[in-house]
Amino acid sequence: MRIGIGYDIHPFVAGRPLILGGVEIPFERGLDGHSDADVLTHAVIDALLGAAGEGDIGHHFGASDPQYRGVRSLRLLEESWRRVKARGFRVGNVDATVVAEAPPLAPHLKGMAANLARALEMEEARINIKPTTAKGLGPLGSGEGIACLTVVLLTEAGGDGA
Ligand code: MG
């Protein structure tokens, strides 16, 4: 078994859609970034690559590379998974904490898990997404952006861990 951790944070900006786990969530602002700024999916990618010892998202998908401007981050997750899968791994489970003062994320968790499960070719039941807030503290608490922490467990394909 191998474990990886991922962390990401993006600031809110006006005039962009809010995408989390590939789900477009109705809100007056979206996250700023070179891609679709899907902070949850970025943290999952970093945890996945970290577990496999494959570096990080910036190493594979450069933040200044024009081919990734506005790209759907789920596509980057699919590409990352192809790379990790080719190494003989499968995903044991994914656990994520999304720190967002607003909007409420609970109605969208199932859709996010379904998208991530599809990209990672795994059961949705092995993906857990926990929304929380920063309790008003600091930039996250004043609603300036969203942060996400994720862990991914990988097992050897054919092993008894998955
Ligand atoms: Mg990011």
Side-chain angles (χ1 to χ4, degrees), residues 107-146:
H108 308 288
L109 299 180
K110 189 152 179 60
M112 296 178 200
N115 285 340
L116 296 174
R118 200 174 308 115
L120 291 166
E121 301 177 287
M122 63 183 290
E123 299 163 48
E124 195 181 317
R126 290 175 183 264
I127 296 181
N128 191 71
I129 305 169
K130 312 181 298 296
T132 189
T133 73
K135 313 293 183 296
L137 294 172
L140 289 174
S142 58
E144 292 179 36
I146 295 180

Side-chain angles (χ1 to χ4, degrees), residues 8-10 39 42:
D8 197 19
I9 185 168
H10 282 256
V39 66
H42 290 182

Side-chain angles (χ1 to χ4, degrees), residues 34-101:
H34 184 66
S35 65
D36 65 3
D38 183 339
V39 66
L40 168 59
T41 300
H42 290 182
V44 172
I45 291 170
D46 261 358
L48 177 71
L49 293 172
E54 289 276 356
D56 65 14
I57 187 170
H59 175 74
H60 296 281
F61 312 105
S64 58
D65 190 330
Q67 72 167 309
Y68 298 123
R69 176 170 294 281
V71 72
R72 285 175 67 246
S73 296
L74 281 181
R75 202 194 102 201
L76 305 182
L77 179 60
E78 289 163 5
E79 285 186 29
S80 301
W81 171 235
R82 269 196 292 278
R83 173 180 296 272
V84 172
K85 184 184 175 184
R87 296 262 316 279
F89 291 114
R90 61 195 296 181
V91 181
N93 74 295
V94 176
D95 187 28
T97 296
V98 183
V99 186
E101 220 66 10

